[in-house]
Amino acid sequence: MTAAPVEATGSTGSTGSAGSAGPTGSNGPTGPTDVAGERLRRWRLVLGGDDADGTGCVLAGQDAAMDGALTALYGKDGKGRSGRDRSAGLGASAPSVARWLGDIRTYFPSSVVQVMQRDAIDRLGLSTLLLEPEMLEAVEADVHLVGTLLSLNKAMPETTKETARAVVRKVVEDLEKRLASRTRATLTGALDRSTRISRPRHHDIDWNRTIAANLKHYLPEYRTIVPERLIGYGRASQSVKKEVVLCIDQSGSMAASVVYASVFGAVLASMRSIATRLVVFDTAVVDLTDQLDDPVDVLFGTQLGGGTDINRALAYCQSQITRPADTVVVLISDLYEGGIRDEMLKRVAAMKASGVQFVTLLALSDEGAPAYDREHAAALAALGAPAFACTPDLFPEVMAAAIEKRPLPIPDTA
């Protein structure tokens, strides 16, 4: 049996399990003596319909409404949730789905709403309804919804495009707020460290590191340090110090990675010390660098789905490199290559031999390592470019390590 999600927001307004709504159909608080009734109530909500007859639990009020919302999505012909052959109870019109979306946002916390929305799209084939404005206005926007909208971009009617862009922009702006400050701070420090010089001018001296490096030259009688070696920052604070090329696989399985990479691309492009190029590919290669000032434009410039030609994409990226020793290439792909495998590996080897820092990410998302081509991953690792999945929170550290040319912080679970 596959249980439906039943986490809910109870009458007190707190977020928790369905237990917060009260025992045996009531909406009051659950006391110590009601443990058995609360357990039956939870089973009733999980099982639903005829499967729950043995619980002897009758739902009322908000519990009944929650059960109706769950049954509409997970019900078997509207009667239960334990069968393998499940069918829709939402109807085929946008208004009925929009009402259902409003209901689940009332009864369940955001994290559960997002799961149920994804299940509704996958199980009930509701993708086409996302092309209607009233539907989009009702959904709980997240990275996965953005990926679905991008895959529907070419089929989207003009009346829906502005609403879709508003939904995507909200998600992008939330991600930028979460990720931008830490990314800029981490990479600024890495850039400064990567350009330190040993004979700096006075206003370029990094005093903290200079003092730390010369503590052994402290003269107690003068209560001062006589520095034997000065450590400073480079003079190129206003010029480009590093070049970063983000090369993103836009096949359908990489949707979340495309969203996160586009946001990071915009953040990197906002840093004057980094020249950022963003390239997306399937069997064709598209350079979206000139749209990096707006990640929403970047996302709507992608076309999720199709085949994969990593070799062609890397050939284009390689042709754009002018300062290999100061360049970081980040390939984000599950490595299912449809192009010429040996040529792909030769290009990676050539870039690394020229001084390029090459990073291979199997995914840039919160979902862990996806399915990927293990043979290609092993071949890249043998070239000194290990492939691993990376969360958005870890990405700044990965980029900082690549900029400083030190070992990458590869997760233990990679």
Side-chain angles (χ1 to χ4, degrees):
M1 179 186 74
T2 302
V6 294
E7 189 177 358
T9 301
S11 59
T12 61
S14 61
T15 299
S17 69
S20 60
T24 59
S26 71
N27 290 322
T30 301
T33 60
D34 298 322
V35 174
E38 173 63 10
R39 184 178 294 114
L40 288 175
R41 171 184 167 274
R42 293 189 181 197
W43 274 114
R44 172 64 182 82
L45 285 169
V46 170
L47 293 171
D50 293 341
D51 294 325
D53 286 348
T55 64
C57 178
V58 178
L59 300 179
Q62 180 171 292
D63 284 350
M66 287 170 54
D67 187 61
L70 290 167
T71 298
L73 175 58
Y74 299 104
K76 180 184 178 183
D77 299 327
K79 297 180 180 179
R81 299 193 202 109
S82 62
R84 293 171 59 90
D85 182 19
R86 296 172 178 173
S87 61
L90 299 181
S93 67
S96 64
V97 177
R99 285 193 296 272
W100 177 79
L101 288 168
D103 288 343
I104 64 174
R105 290 171 74 173
T106 299
Y107 306 132
F108 303 98
S110 178
S111 58
V112 174
V113 169
Q114 292 174 7
V115 171
M116 294 179 73
Q117 285 181 173
R118 293 200 293 273
D119 284 350
I121 291 169
D122 294 341
R123 291 171 180 270
L124 309 179
L126 297 185
S127 295
T128 55
L129 289 180
L130 291 176
L131 303 180
E132 302 188 29
E134 62 267 35
M135 176 74 164
L136 284 176
E137 291 169 356
V139 296
E140 185 85 14
D142 65 354
V143 169
H144 300 281
L145 178 64
V146 169
T148 300
L149 291 177
L150 296 179
S151 69
L152 298 170
N153 182 27
K154 302 304 179 184
M156 196 172 291
E158 291 298 324
T159 55
T160 305
K161 284 188 176 179
E162 285 305 311
T163 305
R165 287 184 71 89
V167 170
V168 172
R169 187 169 297 282
K170 179 181 183 302
V171 174
V172 166
E173 289 176 350
D174 289 345
L175 290 177
E176 284 188 302
K177 289 177 184 177
R178 167 189 158 192
L179 302 170
S181 296
R182 180 165 173 265
T183 300
R184 292 192 185 101
T186 300
L187 297 190
T188 297
L191 289 165
D192 288 342
R193 288 188 293 272
S194 70
T195 57
R196 284 199 174 92
I197 56 177
S198 60
R199 299 178 64 185
R201 299 184 183 186
H202 183 270
H203 57 277
D204 290 329
I205 297 174
D206 181 344
W207 288 107
N208 288 334
R209 288 182 63 88
T210 295
I211 291 170
N214 290 277
L215 287 175
K216 62 183 178 181
H217 302 301
Y218 178 70
L219 301 179
E221 61 272 27
Y222 295 102
R223 301 179 65 185
T224 190
I225 290 174
V226 178
E228 180 181 80
R229 179 168 62 95
L230 298 177
I231 300 175
Y233 302 110
R235 296 278 297 163
S237 59
Q238 301 303 317
S239 63
V240 172
K241 298 177 182 178
K242 295 290 181 179
E243 298 182 3
V244 173
V245 181
L246 298 177
C247 186
I248 310 168
D249 183 344
Q250 61 174 351
S251 57
S253 61
M254 302 296 293
S257 297
V258 171
V259 176
Y260 280 116
S262 298
V263 172
F264 277 118
V267 173
L268 295 177
S270 71
M271 301 177 66
R272 288 181 295 180
S273 298
I274 299 178
T276 305
R277 183 173 295 276
L278 189 144
V279 177
V280 297
F281 68 93
D282 41 35
T283 54
V285 180
V286 181
D287 192 328
L288 298 175
T289 302
D290 61 351
Q291 299 179 36
L292 272 173
D293 58 332
D294 188 345
V296 176
D297 285 342
V298 170
L299 288 170
F300 277 94
T302 63
Q303 184 174 344
L304 292 176
T308 306
D309 193 337
I310 302 173
N311 177 56
R312 175 177 290 186
L314 291 182
Y316 176 80
C317 294
Q318 189 177 24
S319 72
Q320 302 300 305
I321 296 172
T322 58
R323 301 164 53 201
D326 295 317
T327 299
V328 178
V329 174
V330 183
L331 172 64
I332 304 174
S333 173
D334 54 16
L335 302 179
Y336 286 112
E337 171 65 320
I340 306 172
R341 175 185 184 274
D342 291 342
E343 287 295 320
M344 175 189 76
L345 296 175
K346 287 179 181 178
R347 291 191 191 283
V348 175
M351 282 189 274
K352 287 188 63 64
S354 68
V356 171
Q357 298 299 300
F358 196 93
V359 179
T360 309
L361 301 181
L362 301 169
L364 178 55
S365 70
D366 292 305
E367 299 175 342
Y372 64 95
D373 190 305
R374 295 181 180 274
E375 182 180 348
H376 289 162
L380 287 171
L383 295 175
F388 58 97
C390 177
T391 65
D393 289 336
L394 180 62
F395 185 74
E397 299 297 335
V398 170
M399 291 303 299
I403 286 172
E404 295 181 65
K405 300 183 179 181
R406 55 182 171 83
L408 301 176
I410 300 175
D412 293 336
T413 56

mmCIF file of all heavy atoms in Angstrom, residues 310-354:
data_model
loop_
_atom_site.group_PDB
_atom_site.id
_atom_site.type_symbol
_atom_site.label_atom_id
_atom_site.label_comp_id
_atom_site.label_asym_id
_atom_site.label_seq_id
_atom_site.Cartn_x
_atom_site.Cartn_y
_atom_site.Cartn_z
ATOM 1 N N ILE A 310 26.866 16.188 -25.540
ATOM 2 C CA ILE A 310 27.809 16.870 -24.659
ATOM 3 C C ILE A 310 29.055 17.290 -25.430
ATOM 4 O O ILE A 310 29.609 18.373 -25.209
ATOM 5 C CB ILE A 310 28.189 15.961 -23.469
ATOM 6 C CG1 ILE A 310 26.938 15.553 -22.686
ATOM 7 C CG2 ILE A 310 29.173 16.671 -22.538
ATOM 8 C CD1 ILE A 310 27.199 14.518 -21.612
ATOM 9 N N ASN A 311 29.505 16.440 -26.324
ATOM 10 C CA ASN A 311 30.712 16.743 -27.084
ATOM 11 C C ASN A 311 30.563 18.047 -27.857
ATOM 12 O O ASN A 311 31.470 18.896 -27.855
ATOM 13 C CB ASN A 311 31.021 15.597 -28.049
ATOM 14 C CG ASN A 311 32.221 15.893 -28.925
ATOM 15 O OD1 ASN A 311 33.307 16.174 -28.421
ATOM 16 N ND2 ASN A 311 32.037 15.852 -30.230
ATOM 17 N N ARG A 312 29.432 18.245 -28.517
ATOM 18 C CA ARG A 312 29.215 19.480 -29.271
ATOM 19 C C ARG A 312 29.199 20.691 -28.342
ATOM 20 O O ARG A 312 29.762 21.743 -28.663
ATOM 21 C CB ARG A 312 27.904 19.397 -30.052
ATOM 22 C CG ARG A 312 27.548 20.686 -30.775
ATOM 23 C CD ARG A 312 26.281 20.552 -31.595
ATOM 24 N NE ARG A 312 26.502 19.683 -32.746
ATOM 25 C CZ ARG A 312 25.585 19.495 -33.702
ATOM 26 N NH1 ARG A 312 24.403 20.086 -33.622
ATOM 27 N NH2 ARG A 312 25.850 18.705 -34.721
ATOM 28 N N ALA A 313 28.557 20.550 -27.181
ATOM 29 C CA ALA A 313 28.495 21.660 -26.230
ATOM 30 C C ALA A 313 29.886 22.021 -25.719
ATOM 31 O O ALA A 313 30.249 23.201 -25.628
ATOM 32 C CB ALA A 313 27.576 21.296 -25.067
ATOM 33 N N LEU A 314 30.686 20.999 -25.383
ATOM 34 C CA LEU A 314 32.040 21.269 -24.881
ATOM 35 C C LEU A 314 32.924 21.858 -25.978
ATOM 36 O O LEU A 314 33.815 22.675 -25.695
ATOM 37 C CB LEU A 314 32.660 19.991 -24.321
ATOM 38 C CG LEU A 314 32.026 19.462 -23.031
ATOM 39 C CD1 LEU A 314 32.770 18.212 -22.556
ATOM 40 C CD2 LEU A 314 32.037 20.520 -21.926
ATOM 41 N N ALA A 315 32.689 21.459 -27.218
ATOM 42 C CA ALA A 315 33.456 22.042 -28.325
ATOM 43 C C ALA A 315 33.201 23.536 -28.411
ATOM 44 O O ALA A 315 34.129 24.339 -28.607
ATOM 45 C CB ALA A 315 33.087 21.355 -29.643
ATOM 46 N N TYR A 316 31.940 23.931 -28.243
ATOM 47 C CA TYR A 316 31.626 25.365 -28.282
ATOM 48 C C TYR A 316 32.268 26.081 -27.084
ATOM 49 O O TYR A 316 32.881 27.144 -27.251
ATOM 50 C CB TYR A 316 30.115 25.582 -28.263
ATOM 51 C CG TYR A 316 29.746 27.047 -28.193
ATOM 52 C CD1 TYR A 316 29.777 27.832 -29.338
ATOM 53 C CD2 TYR A 316 29.413 27.636 -26.979
ATOM 54 C CE1 TYR A 316 29.471 29.182 -29.279
ATOM 55 C CE2 TYR A 316 29.107 28.987 -26.906
ATOM 56 C CZ TYR A 316 29.143 29.752 -28.051
ATOM 57 O OH TYR A 316 28.861 31.089 -27.984
ATOM 58 N N CYS A 317 32.127 25.507 -25.897
ATOM 59 C CA CYS A 317 32.709 26.137 -24.705
ATOM 60 C C CYS A 317 34.221 26.280 -24.852
ATOM 61 O O CYS A 317 34.799 27.318 -24.503
ATOM 62 C CB CYS A 317 32.375 25.313 -23.469
ATOM 63 S SG CYS A 317 30.613 25.279 -23.056
ATOM 64 N N GLN A 318 34.856 25.253 -25.361
ATOM 65 C CA GLN A 318 36.304 25.276 -25.549
ATOM 66 C C GLN A 318 36.712 26.407 -26.501
ATOM 67 O O GLN A 318 37.732 27.069 -26.282
ATOM 68 C CB GLN A 318 36.768 23.923 -26.097
ATOM 69 C CG GLN A 318 38.275 23.733 -26.137
ATOM 70 C CD GLN A 318 38.645 22.338 -26.626
ATOM 71 O OE1 GLN A 318 37.869 21.684 -27.324
ATOM 72 N NE2 GLN A 318 39.826 21.873 -26.256
ATOM 73 N N SER A 319 35.901 26.656 -27.514
ATOM 74 C CA SER A 319 36.227 27.704 -28.487
ATOM 75 C C SER A 319 36.107 29.102 -27.893
ATOM 76 O O SER A 319 36.637 30.067 -28.455
ATOM 77 C CB SER A 319 35.303 27.593 -29.705
ATOM 78 O OG SER A 319 33.975 27.998 -29.387
ATOM 79 N N GLN A 320 35.411 29.234 -26.753
ATOM 80 C CA GLN A 320 35.211 30.542 -26.138
ATOM 81 C C GLN A 320 36.253 30.863 -25.069
ATOM 82 O O GLN A 320 36.269 31.969 -24.532
ATOM 83 C CB GLN A 320 33.814 30.602 -25.498
ATOM 84 C CG GLN A 320 32.665 30.353 -26.464
ATOM 85 C CD GLN A 320 32.638 31.356 -27.591
ATOM 86 O OE1 GLN A 320 32.604 32.564 -27.358
ATOM 87 N NE2 GLN A 320 32.654 30.871 -28.820
ATOM 88 N N ILE A 321 37.127 29.920 -24.757
ATOM 89 C CA ILE A 321 38.108 30.112 -23.686
ATOM 90 C C ILE A 321 39.315 30.875 -24.226
ATOM 91 O O ILE A 321 39.949 30.449 -25.187
ATOM 92 C CB ILE A 321 38.541 28.759 -23.096
ATOM 93 C CG1 ILE A 321 37.342 28.072 -22.431
ATOM 94 C CG2 ILE A 321 39.672 28.948 -22.081
ATOM 95 C CD1 ILE A 321 37.618 26.651 -21.984
ATOM 96 N N THR A 322 39.633 32.002 -23.599
ATOM 97 C CA THR A 322 40.790 32.803 -24.006
ATOM 98 C C THR A 322 41.881 32.828 -22.946
ATOM 99 O O THR A 322 43.038 33.110 -23.260
ATOM 100 C CB THR A 322 40.353 34.250 -24.298
ATOM 101 O OG1 THR A 322 39.726 34.803 -23.124
ATOM 102 C CG2 THR A 322 39.349 34.285 -25.453
ATOM 103 N N ARG A 323 41.515 32.523 -21.690
ATOM 104 C CA ARG A 323 42.484 32.534 -20.583
ATOM 105 C C ARG A 323 42.341 31.228 -19.806
ATOM 106 O O ARG A 323 41.772 31.206 -18.717
ATOM 107 C CB ARG A 323 42.234 33.734 -19.662
ATOM 108 C CG ARG A 323 42.321 35.095 -20.362
ATOM 109 C CD ARG A 323 41.687 36.188 -19.511
ATOM 110 N NE ARG A 323 42.243 36.217 -18.166
ATOM 111 C CZ ARG A 323 41.613 36.772 -17.119
ATOM 112 N NH1 ARG A 323 40.398 37.276 -17.257
ATOM 113 N NH2 ARG A 323 42.194 36.782 -15.942
ATOM 114 N N PRO A 324 42.831 30.136 -20.344
ATOM 115 C CA PRO A 324 42.570 28.823 -19.724
ATOM 116 C C PRO A 324 43.004 28.723 -18.270
ATOM 117 O O PRO A 324 42.321 28.084 -17.465
ATOM 118 C CB PRO A 324 43.330 27.842 -20.623
ATOM 119 C CG PRO A 324 44.246 28.669 -21.443
ATOM 120 C CD PRO A 324 43.613 30.004 -21.586
ATOM 121 N N ALA A 325 44.134 29.336 -17.913
ATOM 122 C CA ALA A 325 44.618 29.235 -16.531
ATOM 123 C C ALA A 325 43.712 29.959 -15.546
ATOM 124 O O ALA A 325 43.767 29.700 -14.337
ATOM 125 C CB ALA A 325 46.038 29.790 -16.440
ATOM 126 N N ASP A 326 42.865 30.848 -16.047
ATOM 127 C CA ASP A 326 41.949 31.610 -15.191
ATOM 128 C C ASP A 326 40.493 31.263 -15.472
ATOM 129 O O ASP A 326 39.598 32.062 -15.201
ATOM 130 C CB ASP A 326 42.161 33.115 -15.407
ATOM 131 C CG ASP A 326 43.534 33.575 -14.953
ATOM 132 O OD1 ASP A 326 43.974 33.140 -13.867
ATOM 133 O OD2 ASP A 326 44.171 34.358 -15.681
ATOM 134 N N THR A 327 40.238 30.078 -16.010
ATOM 135 C CA THR A 327 38.888 29.698 -16.416
ATOM 136 C C THR A 327 38.406 28.464 -15.665
ATOM 137 O O THR A 327 39.157 27.508 -15.479
ATOM 138 C CB THR A 327 38.829 29.417 -17.936
ATOM 139 O OG1 THR A 327 39.188 30.610 -18.648
ATOM 140 C CG2 THR A 327 37.435 28.992 -18.371
ATOM 141 N N VAL A 328 37.142 28.513 -15.238
ATOM 142 C CA VAL A 328 36.467 27.366 -14.631
ATOM 143 C C VAL A 328 35.305 26.976 -15.538
ATOM 144 O O VAL A 328 34.444 27.802 -15.846
ATOM 145 C CB VAL A 328 35.929 27.696 -13.224
ATOM 146 C CG1 VAL A 328 35.192 26.481 -12.640
ATOM 147 C CG2 VAL A 328 37.049 28.146 -12.300
ATOM 148 N N VAL A 329 35.291 25.729 -15.995
ATOM 149 C CA VAL A 329 34.183 25.204 -16.793
ATOM 150 C C VAL A 329 33.375 24.256 -15.910
ATOM 151 O O VAL A 329 33.929 23.317 -15.320
ATOM 152 C CB VAL A 329 34.679 24.459 -18.048
ATOM 153 C CG1 VAL A 329 33.506 23.790 -18.768
ATOM 154 C CG2 VAL A 329 35.392 25.425 -18.990
ATOM 155 N N VAL A 330 32.082 24.512 -15.814
ATOM 156 C CA VAL A 330 31.194 23.669 -15.009
ATOM 157 C C VAL A 330 30.209 22.977 -15.946
ATOM 158 O O VAL A 330 29.337 23.629 -16.535
ATOM 159 C CB VAL A 330 30.430 24.491 -13.951
ATOM 160 C CG1 VAL A 330 29.568 23.564 -13.089
ATOM 161 C CG2 VAL A 330 31.395 25.292 -13.095
ATOM 162 N N LEU A 331 30.369 21.676 -16.112
ATOM 163 C CA LEU A 331 29.434 20.871 -16.905
ATOM 164 C C LEU A 331 28.384 20.299 -15.957
ATOM 165 O O LEU A 331 28.717 19.588 -15.009
ATOM 166 C CB LEU A 331 30.170 19.743 -17.620
ATOM 167 C CG LEU A 331 29.289 18.705 -18.327
ATOM 168 C CD1 LEU A 331 28.496 19.340 -19.466
ATOM 169 C CD2 LEU A 331 30.129 17.536 -18.832
ATOM 170 N N ILE A 332 27.112 20.614 -16.210
ATOM 171 C CA ILE A 332 26.013 20.103 -15.386
ATOM 172 C C ILE A 332 25.199 19.160 -16.260
ATOM 173 O O ILE A 332 24.439 19.587 -17.132
ATOM 174 C CB ILE A 332 25.141 21.251 -14.844
ATOM 175 C CG1 ILE A 332 26.007 22.251 -14.075
ATOM 176 C CG2 ILE A 332 24.035 20.705 -13.949
ATOM 177 C CD1 ILE A 332 25.256 23.497 -13.623
ATOM 178 N N SER A 333 25.367 17.860 -16.047
ATOM 179 C CA SER A 333 24.739 16.863 -16.926
ATOM 180 C C SER A 333 24.710 15.507 -16.247
ATOM 181 O O SER A 333 25.576 15.190 -15.416
ATOM 182 C CB SER A 333 25.521 16.764 -18.245
ATOM 183 O OG SER A 333 25.037 15.700 -19.049
ATOM 184 N N ASP A 334 23.716 14.682 -16.614
ATOM 185 C CA ASP A 334 23.681 13.302 -16.123
ATOM 186 C C ASP A 334 24.571 12.388 -16.970
ATOM 187 O O ASP A 334 24.623 11.182 -16.751
ATOM 188 C CB ASP A 334 22.246 12.770 -16.081
ATOM 189 C CG ASP A 334 21.513 12.903 -17.415
ATOM 190 O OD1 ASP A 334 22.193 13.116 -18.446
ATOM 191 O OD2 ASP A 334 20.274 12.804 -17.434
ATOM 192 N N LEU A 335 25.266 12.980 -17.964
ATOM 193 C CA LEU A 335 26.318 12.313 -18.753
ATOM 194 C C LEU A 335 25.805 11.233 -19.700
ATOM 195 O O LEU A 335 26.599 10.427 -20.195
ATOM 196 C CB LEU A 335 27.405 11.733 -17.837
ATOM 197 C CG LEU A 335 28.105 12.738 -16.927
ATOM 198 C CD1 LEU A 335 29.146 12.012 -16.059
ATOM 199 C CD2 LEU A 335 28.779 13.838 -17.745
ATOM 200 N N TYR A 336 24.507 11.220 -19.978
ATOM 201 C CA TYR A 336 24.009 10.283 -20.980
ATOM 202 C C TYR A 336 24.291 10.886 -22.361
ATOM 203 O O TYR A 336 23.457 11.580 -22.944
ATOM 204 C CB TYR A 336 22.514 10.016 -20.784
ATOM 205 C CG TYR A 336 22.230 9.126 -19.599
ATOM 206 C CD1 TYR A 336 21.589 9.625 -18.472
ATOM 207 C CD2 TYR A 336 22.629 7.791 -19.609
ATOM 208 C CE1 TYR A 336 21.338 8.807 -17.379
ATOM 209 C CE2 TYR A 336 22.377 6.964 -18.512
ATOM 210 C CZ TYR A 336 21.733 7.484 -17.408
ATOM 211 O OH TYR A 336 21.493 6.676 -16.322
ATOM 212 N N GLU A 337 25.482 10.623 -22.858
ATOM 213 C CA GLU A 337 25.976 11.241 -24.070
ATOM 214 C C GLU A 337 25.397 10.598 -25.314
ATOM 215 O O GLU A 337 25.435 9.376 -25.480
ATOM 216 C CB GLU A 337 27.508 11.159 -24.107
ATOM 217 C CG GLU A 337 28.163 11.575 -25.415
ATOM 218 C CD GLU A 337 27.972 13.050 -25.758
ATOM 219 O OE1 GLU A 337 26.879 13.562 -25.532
ATOM 220 O OE2 GLU A 337 28.921 13.669 -26.253
ATOM 221 N N GLY A 338 24.852 11.451 -26.207
ATOM 222 C CA GLY A 338 24.369 10.970 -27.479
ATOM 223 C C GLY A 338 25.312 11.306 -28.611
ATOM 224 O O GLY A 338 25.093 10.918 -29.755
ATOM 225 N N GLY A 339 26.377 12.046 -28.289
ATOM 226 C CA GLY A 339 27.355 12.426 -29.296
ATOM 227 C C GLY A 339 28.533 11.460 -29.326
ATOM 228 O O GLY A 339 28.384 10.266 -29.055
ATOM 229 N N ILE A 340 29.710 11.984 -29.597
ATOM 230 C CA ILE A 340 30.897 11.151 -29.759
ATOM 231 C C ILE A 340 31.632 11.085 -28.420
ATOM 232 O O ILE A 340 32.259 12.055 -27.981
ATOM 233 C CB ILE A 340 31.822 11.718 -30.855
ATOM 234 C CG1 ILE A 340 31.037 11.903 -32.156
ATOM 235 C CG2 ILE A 340 33.016 10.794 -31.081
ATOM 236 C CD1 ILE A 340 31.801 12.629 -33.231
ATOM 237 N N ARG A 341 31.558 9.935 -27.768
ATOM 238 C CA ARG A 341 32.096 9.794 -26.412
ATOM 239 C C ARG A 341 33.587 10.090 -26.358
ATOM 240 O O ARG A 341 34.050 10.852 -25.505
ATOM 241 C CB ARG A 341 31.824 8.378 -25.905
ATOM 242 C CG ARG A 341 32.453 8.085 -24.542
ATOM 243 C CD ARG A 341 32.247 6.629 -24.158
ATOM 244 N NE ARG A 341 32.743 6.346 -22.830
ATOM 245 C CZ ARG A 341 33.993 6.027 -22.546
ATOM 246 N NH1 ARG A 341 34.889 5.974 -23.529
ATOM 247 N NH2 ARG A 341 34.367 5.761 -21.309
ATOM 248 N N ASP A 342 34.368 9.475 -27.222
ATOM 249 C CA ASP A 342 35.824 9.640 -27.162
ATOM 250 C C ASP A 342 36.222 11.091 -27.389
ATOM 251 O O ASP A 342 37.157 11.595 -26.752
ATOM 252 C CB ASP A 342 36.500 8.729 -28.191
ATOM 253 C CG ASP A 342 36.381 7.253 -27.820
ATOM 254 O OD1 ASP A 342 36.095 6.977 -26.641
ATOM 255 O OD2 ASP A 342 36.565 6.403 -28.705
ATOM 256 N N GLU A 343 35.517 11.766 -28.293
ATOM 257 C CA GLU A 343 35.816 13.180 -28.545
ATOM 258 C C GLU A 343 35.498 14.017 -27.312
ATOM 259 O O GLU A 343 36.221 14.957 -26.978
ATOM 260 C CB GLU A 343 35.020 13.686 -29.750
ATOM 261 C CG GLU A 343 35.515 13.175 -31.084
ATOM 262 C CD GLU A 343 36.921 13.689 -31.398
ATOM 263 O OE1 GLU A 343 37.186 14.877 -31.108
ATOM 264 O OE2 GLU A 343 37.738 12.907 -31.909
ATOM 265 N N MET A 344 34.398 13.700 -26.636
ATOM 266 C CA MET A 344 34.041 14.415 -25.414
ATOM 267 C C MET A 344 35.156 14.315 -24.387
ATOM 268 O O MET A 344 35.585 15.313 -23.790
ATOM 269 C CB MET A 344 32.746 13.840 -24.828
ATOM 270 C CG MET A 344 32.354 14.441 -23.481
ATOM 271 S SD MET A 344 30.973 13.583 -22.683
ATOM 272 C CE MET A 344 31.776 12.090 -22.079
ATOM 273 N N LEU A 345 35.657 13.100 -24.175
ATOM 274 C CA LEU A 345 36.708 12.899 -23.170
ATOM 275 C C LEU A 345 38.007 13.586 -23.590
ATOM 276 O O LEU A 345 38.718 14.144 -22.748
ATOM 277 C CB LEU A 345 36.932 11.406 -22.954
ATOM 278 C CG LEU A 345 35.727 10.643 -22.375
ATOM 279 C CD1 LEU A 345 36.027 9.148 -22.318
ATOM 280 C CD2 LEU A 345 35.365 11.166 -20.989
ATOM 281 N N LYS A 346 38.305 13.569 -24.887
ATOM 282 C CA LYS A 346 39.513 14.253 -25.362
ATOM 283 C C LYS A 346 39.427 15.755 -25.116
ATOM 284 O O LYS A 346 40.422 16.401 -24.778
ATOM 285 C CB LYS A 346 39.727 13.972 -26.846
ATOM 286 C CG LYS A 346 40.211 12.557 -27.159
ATOM 287 C CD LYS A 346 40.367 12.359 -28.666
ATOM 288 C CE LYS A 346 40.830 10.937 -28.991
ATOM 289 N NZ LYS A 346 40.939 10.731 -30.462
ATOM 290 N N ARG A 347 38.251 16.321 -25.278
ATOM 291 C CA ARG A 347 38.087 17.756 -25.059
ATOM 292 C C ARG A 347 38.299 18.108 -23.592
ATOM 293 O O ARG A 347 38.929 19.114 -23.263
ATOM 294 C CB ARG A 347 36.703 18.214 -25.514
ATOM 295 C CG ARG A 347 36.525 18.154 -27.008
ATOM 296 C CD ARG A 347 35.252 18.852 -27.449
ATOM 297 N NE ARG A 347 34.979 18.555 -28.844
ATOM 298 C CZ ARG A 347 35.602 19.116 -29.867
ATOM 299 N NH1 ARG A 347 36.552 20.014 -29.626
ATOM 300 N NH2 ARG A 347 35.298 18.791 -31.101
ATOM 301 N N VAL A 348 37.744 17.278 -22.700
ATOM 302 C CA VAL A 348 37.939 17.526 -21.268
ATOM 303 C C VAL A 348 39.422 17.434 -20.919
ATOM 304 O O VAL A 348 39.967 18.289 -20.210
ATOM 305 C CB VAL A 348 37.129 16.528 -20.426
ATOM 306 C CG1 VAL A 348 37.439 16.709 -18.944
ATOM 307 C CG2 VAL A 348 35.635 16.701 -20.684
ATOM 308 N N ALA A 349 40.102 16.410 -21.431
ATOM 309 C CA ALA A 349 41.533 16.246 -21.172
ATOM 310 C C ALA A 349 42.327 17.437 -21.704
ATOM 311 O O ALA A 349 43.249 17.930 -21.036
ATOM 312 C CB ALA A 349 42.030 14.944 -21.803
ATOM 313 N N ALA A 350 41.979 17.918 -22.892
ATOM 314 C CA ALA A 350 42.693 19.052 -23.482
ATOM 315 C C ALA A 350 42.478 20.320 -22.671
ATOM 316 O O ALA A 350 43.429 21.099 -22.452
ATOM 317 C CB ALA A 350 42.228 19.260 -24.923
ATOM 318 N N MET A 351 41.262 20.542 -22.217
ATOM 319 C CA MET A 351 40.997 21.734 -21.403
ATOM 320 C C MET A 351 41.771 21.692 -20.098
ATOM 321 O O MET A 351 42.372 22.682 -19.673
ATOM 322 C CB MET A 351 39.489 21.879 -21.152
ATOM 323 C CG MET A 351 38.729 22.446 -22.341
ATOM 324 S SD MET A 351 37.001 22.857 -21.973
ATOM 325 C CE MET A 351 36.214 21.278 -22.267
ATOM 326 N N LYS A 352 41.785 20.536 -19.449
ATOM 327 C CA LYS A 352 42.519 20.422 -18.195
ATOM 328 C C LYS A 352 44.020 20.593 -18.423
ATOM 329 O O LYS A 352 44.706 21.224 -17.622
ATOM 330 C CB LYS A 352 42.224 19.066 -17.531
ATOM 331 C CG LYS A 352 40.826 18.989 -16.917
ATOM 332 C CD LYS A 352 40.646 17.734 -16.111
ATOM 333 C CE LYS A 352 41.589 17.649 -14.922
ATOM 334 N NZ LYS A 352 41.359 18.715 -13.927
ATOM 335 N N ALA A 353 44.535 20.054 -19.514
ATOM 336 C CA ALA A 353 45.963 20.184 -19.803
ATOM 337 C C ALA A 353 46.358 21.639 -20.042
ATOM 338 O O ALA A 353 47.493 22.040 -19.759
ATOM 339 C CB ALA A 353 46.329 19.334 -21.019
ATOM 340 N N SER A 354 45.411 22.441 -20.534
ATOM 341 C CA SER A 354 45.711 23.852 -20.805
ATOM 342 C C SER A 354 45.606 24.721 -19.556
ATOM 343 O O SER A 354 45.935 25.906 -19.605
ATOM 344 C CB SER A 354 44.757 24.390 -21.875
ATOM 345 O OG SER A 354 43.425 24.462 -21.378
#
